[in-house]
Amino acid sequence: AQSVAQPEDQVNVAEGNPLTVKCTYSVSGNPYLFWYVQYPNRGLQFLLKYITGDNLVKGSYGFEAEFNKSQTSFHLKKPSALVSDSALYFCAVRDGNTGGFKTIFGAGTRLFVKA
Amino acid sequence: GAVVSQHPSRVICKSGTSVKIECRSLDFQVTTMFWYRQFPKQSLMLMATSNEGSKATYEQGVEKDKFLINHASLTLSTLTVTSAHPEDSSFYICSANRGDTGELFFGEGSRLTVL
């Protein structure tokens, strides 16, 4: 069974500063890893994913994430935060060995970017 | 633009009534859709996998007689909350894959309030 942990309920950062939102995962097969963002009362939007290849993946809105197999982590980063980045961020994992598209989500981390 | 459409976005009903939520894939066909429930403190819980032409697969702890899922066509899945109670009040979100890219596309969500 797969699981995802997002250890921080909330992350606060000043505009212009770098941000990191943490994620660790557990999966028995090959991990397919994703980040999604959610704005109030909306569905989730895809940001980026790691399936295979380079450990550093770049996604929408200047976000990137680094896959670290030894630490089973997939932290989301951005070099310079914007106030408009304030939202709820979800890390998710799928077991690439089992087939299908069942995806398990972390509990979410709320990001506040202060002007 | 949106690739998954969900309706209604908000619904208020009386206790004991049933409510149907529709999820449509736009411009693409899917054999599998996923229904999630989001609780007030953020977490996104997978309720069930909707399978076109066959029975839905429910996650442990989800009452299949309470949450009826029908995937009648390759573009439509419905979730019916039967005999709704106030504790069923929540934000329900559907999702689907397009192709084999891995990421999910989400509907805008449906906020159910049971009085």
Side-chain angles (χ1 to χ4, degrees), chain A residues 9 32 34 36 38 41-46 49 51 88 90 94 100-110, chain B residues 10 32 34 36 38 41-44 46 49 59 91 93 97 99-109 111:
Chain A
D9 288 340
Y32 288 6
F34 307 85
Y36 293 85
Q38 185 182 32
N41 294 307
R42 305 293 295 277
L44 279 67
Q45 297 176 33
F46 168 74
K49 66 181 175 185
I51 304 296
L88 187 56
F90 289 96
R94 176 158 77 87
F101 296 97
K102 179 177 172 179
T103 305
I104 301 300
F105 286 79
T109 299
R110 189 166 296 281
Chain B
R10 292 177 183 272
T32 305
F34 302 91
Y36 290 86
Q38 187 169 26
K41 291 200 170 185
Q42 311 176 155
S43 62
L44 206 65
L46 177 63
T49 302
E59 295 300 304
F91 195 55
I93 313 176
N97 285 93
D100 194 28
T101 55
E103 68 265 28
L104 294 171
F105 293 90
F106 285 84
E108 289 295 308
R111 182 160 300 283

Side-chain angles (χ1 to χ4, degrees), chain B:
Chain B
V3 297
V4 175
S5 172
Q6 191 171 340
H7 176 81
S9 57
R10 292 177 183 272
V11 57
I12 300 173
C13 69
K14 293 182 179 179
S15 187
T17 60
S18 295
V19 173
K20 181 186 284 188
I21 300 169
E22 293 186 347
C23 180
R24 293 181 186 275
S25 57
L26 307 178
D27 301 325
F28 68 105
Q29 296 178 329
V30 290
T31 57
T32 305
M33 288 185 173
F34 302 91
W35 286 96
Y36 290 86
R37 179 175 179 178
Q38 187 169 26
F39 293 93
K41 291 200 170 185
Q42 311 176 155
S43 62
L44 206 65
M45 182 193 80
L46 177 63
M47 299 175 64
T49 302
S50 170
N51 303 301
E52 188 270 336
S54 64
K55 291 183 179 179
T57 306
Y58 290 83
E59 295 300 304
Q60 191 172 8
V62 177
E63 300 176 62
K64 57 184 178 182
D65 294 332
K66 172 74 166 175
F67 299 100
L68 298 179
I69 290 173
N70 185 16
H71 197 145
S73 77
L74 290 171
T75 58
L76 174 64
S77 174
T78 60
L79 167 67
T80 301
V81 183
T82 63
S83 186
H85 289 254
E87 57 265 31
D88 298 326
S89 298
S90 194
F91 195 55
Y92 295 88
I93 313 176
C94 70
S95 66
N97 285 93
R98 185 170 66 179
D100 194 28
T101 55
E103 68 265 28
L104 294 171
F105 293 90
F106 285 84
E108 289 295 308
S110 299
R111 182 160 300 283
L112 170 64
T113 303
V114 184
L115 302 176

Side-chain angles (χ1 to χ4, degrees), chain A residues 5-97:
Chain A
Q6 291 181 243
E8 304 152 315
D9 288 340
Q10 184 171 309
V11 169
N12 298 309
V13 65
E15 188 174 35
N17 283 2
L19 70 87
T20 298
V21 183
K22 295 179 180 177
C23 171
T24 58
Y25 66 90
S26 174
V27 65
S28 54
N30 271 341
Y32 288 6
L33 296 156
F34 307 85
W35 276 100
Y36 293 85
V37 60
Q38 185 182 32
Y39 297 97
N41 294 307
R42 305 293 295 277
L44 279 67
Q45 297 176 33
F46 168 74
L47 275 181
L48 51 78
K49 66 181 175 185
Y50 171 84
I51 304 296
T52 187
D54 289 342
N55 289 344
L56 183 65
V57 292
K58 296 186 184 295
S60 306
Y61 312 119
F63 284 94
E64 58 187 33
E66 185 163 13
F67 169 61
N68 187 317
K69 187 174 181 178
S70 63
Q71 296 185 3
T72 61
S73 67
F74 190 57
H75 302 329
L76 180 70
K77 300 183 179 184
K78 186 172 182 179
S80 179
L82 299 172
V83 172
S84 57
D85 293 330
S86 299
L88 187 56
Y89 290 81
F90 289 96
C91 182
V93 67
R94 176 158 77 87
D95 188 333
N97 285 10

